[in-house]
Amino acid sequence: VAKTIVKCPHLMSDSLEHNLKPTVQWLKELGMDDSQVAKTITTFPQLMGVSLEENLKPRVQWLKELGMDDSQVAKTIVKCPHLMSDSLEHNLKPTVQWLKEL
């Protein structure tokens, strides 16, 4: 816990009921277990401050449109949680397009 707070002290001021709990619940609904949620938060605590509706859900929807299922999306987030805060238009989509063209 201390390591997470040091990495992202503003996490302490995020709304427990409106942000933190819903985000954790959503991660679990994607198929993450408690240890994966904990690893994700420890690795990238800033994820908890990212808007669920405006950022996280659209990115996950986009990953699903690429052909990923919930399990693959969950694994991707655990391995690289900062992807959920990267710009779809300026980072993620151009990179995927480039990979498709290889």
Side-chain angles (χ1 to χ4, degrees):
V1 172
K3 182 179 173 182
T4 301
I5 294 170
V6 168
K7 276 183 165 180
C8 188
H10 73 78
L11 184 67
M12 298 299 292
S13 64
D14 286 343
S15 170
L16 188 60
E17 297 301 323
H18 297 289
N19 196 11
L20 302 178
K21 284 183 178 181
T23 300
V24 168
Q25 181 60 38
W26 180 75
L27 291 171
K28 289 180 178 184
E29 289 170 4
L30 282 176
M32 287 188 196
D33 60 31
D34 288 342
S35 67
Q36 290 172 313
V37 171
K39 179 180 178 184
T40 300
I41 294 169
T42 302
T43 303
F44 189 66
Q46 296 88 340
L47 180 72
M48 301 306 292
V50 175
S51 170
L52 187 57
E53 296 300 324
E54 294 178 23
N55 299 96
L56 298 179
K57 287 183 178 181
R59 281 160 183 74
V60 166
Q61 181 59 39
W62 178 73
L63 290 171
K64 289 180 179 183
E65 289 169 5
L66 291 176
M68 291 185 185
D69 60 26
D70 282 350
S71 174
Q72 292 170 317
V73 170
K75 287 178 185 176
T76 299
I77 295 171
V78 171
K79 288 182 181 180
C80 196
H82 76 272
L83 287 178
M84 294 294 103
S85 68
D86 286 347
S87 169
L88 269 174
E89 298 304 321
H90 295 103
N91 296 85
L92 303 177
K93 287 181 179 182
T95 300
V96 168
Q97 185 60 40
W98 178 77
L99 289 170
K100 286 179 178 181
E101 294 171 0
L102 289 178

